[in-house]
Amino acid sequence: MNTMQITLDVPEDLLFTLNQSTEEFTAQICLWTALNLYKNHKLTLLQAAQLAKMDWHQFVTALDKHEIPVIDYSPTELEAEVQRLLT
């Protein structure tokens, strides 16, 4: 898998206020972005899990924790997603 690095400038005091390391903050940003993109049907479940650096089981647990439905598709979208999961 090819990856690309994206840089985000964050004030140092923000991480201090949040009491988070750079790694913790980065993981949280990746998860929130993945959750939002999945919720808005921009990424599949597997793509969102990959962005969040989780396997799909962990990502489904995160969806539940954030009260985001795992399945929120039209019948056509649901069929396409099932096919992607099976391949």
Side-chain angles (χ1 to χ4, degrees):
M1 166 184 65
N2 293 331
T3 62
M4 144 188 313
Q5 186 169 7
I6 298 173
T7 303
L8 175 67
D9 293 324
V10 177
E12 284 183 38
D13 61 334
L14 180 73
L15 294 179
F16 179 76
T17 300
L18 295 172
N19 193 29
Q20 290 184 326
S21 68
T22 303
E23 293 79 18
E24 291 168 326
F25 184 74
T26 301
Q28 192 171 49
I29 291 296
C30 288
L31 174 59
W32 286 347
T33 301
L35 291 169
N36 188 32
L37 291 172
Y38 180 78
K39 180 180 178 179
N40 289 296
H41 304 275
K42 302 295 183 185
L43 295 179
T44 67
L45 179 75
L46 296 178
Q47 289 170 327
Q50 187 177 37
L51 178 60
K53 297 179 178 68
M54 298 177 165
D55 65 38
W56 72 271
H57 293 100
Q58 293 170 313
F59 190 70
V60 167
T61 300
L63 288 169
D64 183 54
K65 179 180 176 184
H66 292 281
E67 299 180 355
I68 298 170
V70 174
I71 300 173
D72 184 25
Y73 295 116
S74 70
T76 304
E77 291 171 324
L78 178 57
E79 185 176 334
E81 183 69 9
V82 168
Q83 289 304 313
R84 278 190 285 274
L85 287 170
L86 296 176
T87 56

